Amino acid sequence: MNVVANYLNFIGGEWVSASSGETHEHFNPAKPSESIGFTTVSTVGDVEKAVEAAKSAAAGWKAMSSVNRGEILRKAADILEERADDIAKTATQEMGKRFIETKGEALRGASILRYYAQEGMRKKGEVLPSAANGTTLLAVRVPVGVVAAITPWNFPIAIPIWKIAPALVFGNPVVWKPGQETGITAAKVTKVFEDAGLPAGVLNLVLGRGSVVGDVLTTHKDVAAVTFTGSNAVGQNIAKLATEHGKKFQLELGGKNPAVVLEDANLDLAARLVVEGAMKQTGQRCTATSRAYVEASIYDEFVEKVIENAKQITIGDGLQDGITMGPVASKKQFDTVTGYIQKGKDEGAELLYGGSTLDIDGGYYIEPTIFGNATHEMTIVNEEIFGPVVALMKVADYNEALEKANNTIYGLSAAVFTDSLEKAFHFMENSEVGMVQINGETGGAEPQAPFGGTKASGQGPKEQGQSAAEFFTTNKTVTINPFTK
Ligand code: NDP
């Protein structure tokens, strides 16, 4: 057994074991017999200590100028870049995503940090006209207070950073609970902030199980706001608790993202991007393409091209060169995804490609799976699978495709492939999602652009870009009357 270390909580600037004394062992999903290390397992009491530490650090952090706060983020970006290979390797070993993807995520984390470092130099309010003569009226953005950040395992570097970086630059201390399966990566990301010179207590890491510590993080009297990315079930519980306890909340939840492929599209491009959109990160992205609506006149040709693309995928340990798809993240994901594939078969979808599991070192490998002639009655068309599975459907025309693309509880992202400006603009206006791609794959995010969905895919202000200020600050209106005599 190759046990490398025991990773601890980071509370009030100290690395400390959880009071439970319990540890969680991490195994490599590409080779489940390989132990990666241990993480401490927090109790409610540990979270209370972390919130206390954050509360104690709040005034000092708020008093530091946002320019200087941004300077710490800039240092963190440099350190993250220097350590990108090590952190990416750890993330790959913890959750199976290919090294090229985890490295890309680390570098993206660095650009998110730089973007928000710069935010510290941008305006923090507005001067408004007042009806009273001689009076200055200001609307000033101020920190919300202690932020709880609850993040998933699927983007273990970038998602936490796109919550933590804006929280910090806008003057809020943070208590961060990462996905338990990626706790080692989280400890390494936290160390980056420590080494960048973040004052003690400003960022606190609590490792452990969300089912144990999630409620207290959401309801604690000293937590002002909760930002969450993950499943709809957990998100809805957080929304309920946060509402009952008067907390601000922001939820980024699941997706069932459609691609619409029209007869005037570049079919080579569309087939490549539908397959990439579905299979990148082994389909474990909230923005993954999971349904494609294809005009009947080009359906057969499109199917052929999709299969050709799927055949190019090479499966294996994401640390190896030349691999284009790693395992799914865990046994739990393996069971869930294979369960959905079985449902697809049972409910009568046509299995066009893949559909089987692969035994490589006992890892959690699933073939890229393409279903055809799927219908809206099928489970695989309605539920988020979070695995390398896409369902293709034949439609008569654009109108049917749009109507079906919108026929879902989710509203995260959607793509249309067409050369028609008219249809592209119509889709942009009428697709019921937070993010639209014209001739692009459904995934993808840039630090300067708002990220998030509508309908069941999200609640609260969007993440990233300037939208982050809406969640991580509150507006204070200040009236200044300088003439007192
Ligand atoms: P969860 O929603 O369970 O996990 C996300 C985060 O929430 C983790 O940090 C988790 O901790 C924490 N958590 C778990 N239970 C609670 C709770 N009661 N209160 C507060 N926080 C909690 O997602 P899973 O990792 O279990 O994945 C299940 C499915 O969710 C996936 O198959 C996928 O469909 C969807 N998902 C969507 C994501 C997205 O990007 N929109 C990301 C991840 C998952 P812990 O890890 O300790 O359980």
Side-chain angles (χ1 to χ4, degrees):
M1 202 159 63
N2 173 31
V3 175
V4 285
N6 184 14
Y7 292 86
L8 304 179
N9 285 339
F10 187 63
I11 298 179
E14 304 285 336
W15 292 94
V16 288
S17 290
S19 54
S20 65
E22 197 191 329
T23 54
H24 173 74
E25 189 166 10
H26 294 245
F27 296 97
N28 185 344
K31 198 190 283 181
S33 57
E34 183 180 292
S35 177
I36 309 302
F38 292 84
T39 48
T40 200
V41 179
S42 299
T43 60
V44 166
D46 296 312
V47 173
E48 284 167 346
K49 280 187 200 143
V51 175
E52 210 173 287
K55 192 186 170 202
S56 303
W61 185 240
K62 183 179 165 189
M64 186 186 281
S65 90
S66 59
V67 176
N68 292 336
R69 294 195 295 254
E71 207 38 57
I72 296 176
L73 296 193
R74 208 182 316 279
K75 279 194 200 122
D78 294 344
I79 297 170
L80 179 58
E81 241 165 32
E82 280 160 31
R83 297 180 191 170
D85 280 359
D86 175 60
I87 294 175
K89 185 176 171 204
T90 300
T92 295
Q93 288 175 318
E94 278 194 301
M95 54 74 71
K97 192 154 84 174
R98 291 183 305 143
F99 177 76
I100 195 172
E101 291 169 330
T102 49
K103 173 101 183 257
E105 205 190 319
L107 298 179
R108 185 161 141 208
S111 46
I112 295 166
L113 284 162
R114 293 207 173 92
Y115 176 82
Y116 283 109
Q118 201 63 25
E119 189 63 34
M121 300 175 87
R122 295 197 190 103
K123 65 171 186 169
K124 53 190 255 184
E126 292 174 297
V127 182
L128 301 165
S130 168
N133 293 338
T135 294
T136 300
L137 190 55
L138 305 175
V140 185
R141 289 209 167 265
V142 296
V144 280
V146 175
V147 169
I150 304 176
T151 59
W153 47 263
N154 68 327
F155 280 95
I157 308 166
I159 288 179
I161 290 177
W162 83 47
K163 294 179 188 297
I164 292 168
L168 295 181
V169 84
F170 290 122
N172 308 286
V174 176
V175 178
W176 173 27
K177 154 64 188 103
Q180 186 174 36
E181 294 315 324
T182 47
I184 300 176
T185 306
K188 291 189 174 189
V189 169
T190 302
K191 184 87 178 90
V192 166
F193 284 96
E194 182 191 18
D195 293 347
L198 202 66
V202 172
L203 173 63
N204 304 276
L205 174 72
V206 279
L207 299 166
R209 296 189 190 93
S211 54
V212 174
V213 300
D215 285 4
V216 65
L217 267 171
T218 310
T219 58
H220 194 289
K221 67 177 174 41
D222 293 324
V223 168
V226 187
T227 173
F228 170 82
T229 300
S231 65
N232 283 61
V234 172
Q236 289 318 322
N237 186 49
I238 289 175
K240 180 174 162 286
L241 290 176
T243 305
E244 281 167 13
H245 289 79
K247 314 292 184 189
K248 202 170 179 181
F249 64 93
Q250 173 185 54
L251 307 176
E252 290 307 332
L253 308 173
K256 191 71 195 167
N257 312 294
V260 166
V261 184
L262 301 180
E263 59 188 4
D264 60 4
N266 175 338
L267 284 196
D268 289 324
L269 177 84
R272 180 167 63 76
L273 294 185
V274 164
V275 172
E276 271 182 27
M279 308 304 168
K280 240 189 212 170
Q281 264 193 236
T282 323
Q284 300 169 118
R285 298 185 299 161
C286 51
T287 53
T289 307
S290 59
R291 308 175 280 151
Y293 299 94
V294 186
E295 277 194 289
S297 55
I298 50 153
Y299 181 83
D300 292 340
E301 190 186 350
F302 184 72
V303 164
E304 260 176 49
K305 288 180 189 289
V306 164
I307 292 172
E308 270 316 301
N309 276 275
K311 280 184 182 161
Q312 308 302 315
I313 293 173
T314 48
I315 299 176
D317 184 337
L319 285 181
Q320 284 168 13
D321 289 338
I323 294 299
T324 53
M325 201 170 93
V328 293
S330 61
K331 178 75 168 59
K332 184 178 159 200
Q333 280 299 112
F334 183 82
D335 291 345
T336 306
V337 176
T338 51
Y340 276 116
I341 292 173
Q342 190 56 47
K343 271 206 174 119
K345 292 177 187 168
D346 294 347
E347 292 177 8
E350 180 189 3
L351 183 62
L352 295 169
Y353 187 79
S356 301
T357 59
L358 297 175
D359 187 4
I360 311 169
D361 294 328
Y364 305 126
Y365 293 101
I366 300 173
E367 286 182 323
T369 300
I370 321 277
F371 281 110
N373 286 322
T375 68
H376 266 253
E377 286 66 51
M378 292 175 183
T379 310
I380 56 164
V381 176
N382 290 294
E383 295 184 14
E384 182 177 46
I385 298 175
F386 231 60
V389 182
V390 64
L392 310 184
M393 282 161 279
K394 208 182 276 180
V395 289
D397 55 21
Y398 166 71
N399 290 334
E400 185 187 349
L402 176 66
E403 189 261 314
K404 289 195 161 150
N406 284 339
N407 183 8
T408 169
I409 59 164
Y410 293 106
L412 191 53
S413 81
V416 64
F417 291 90
T418 180
D419 269 356
S420 158
L421 259 185
E422 187 190 339
K423 285 176 182 152
F425 269 84
H426 189 272
F427 191 79
M428 180 185 88
E429 296 283 345
N430 294 291
S431 175
E432 295 167 0
V433 291
M435 297 173 289
V436 174
Q437 291 272 354
I438 314 284
N439 296 317
E441 68 115 326
T442 51
E446 297 199 39
Q448 69 278 16
F451 179 90
T454 58
K455 294 157 77 173
S457 292
Q459 280 184 59
K462 298 273 192 292
E463 302 197 85
Q464 304 199 65
Q466 300 291 301
S467 307
E470 284 172 47
F471 184 70
F472 292 108
T473 66
T474 184
N475 246 317
K476 186 179 273 185
T477 305
V478 182
T479 308
I480 306 168
N481 182 359
F483 307 111
T484 56
K485 301 250 161 49

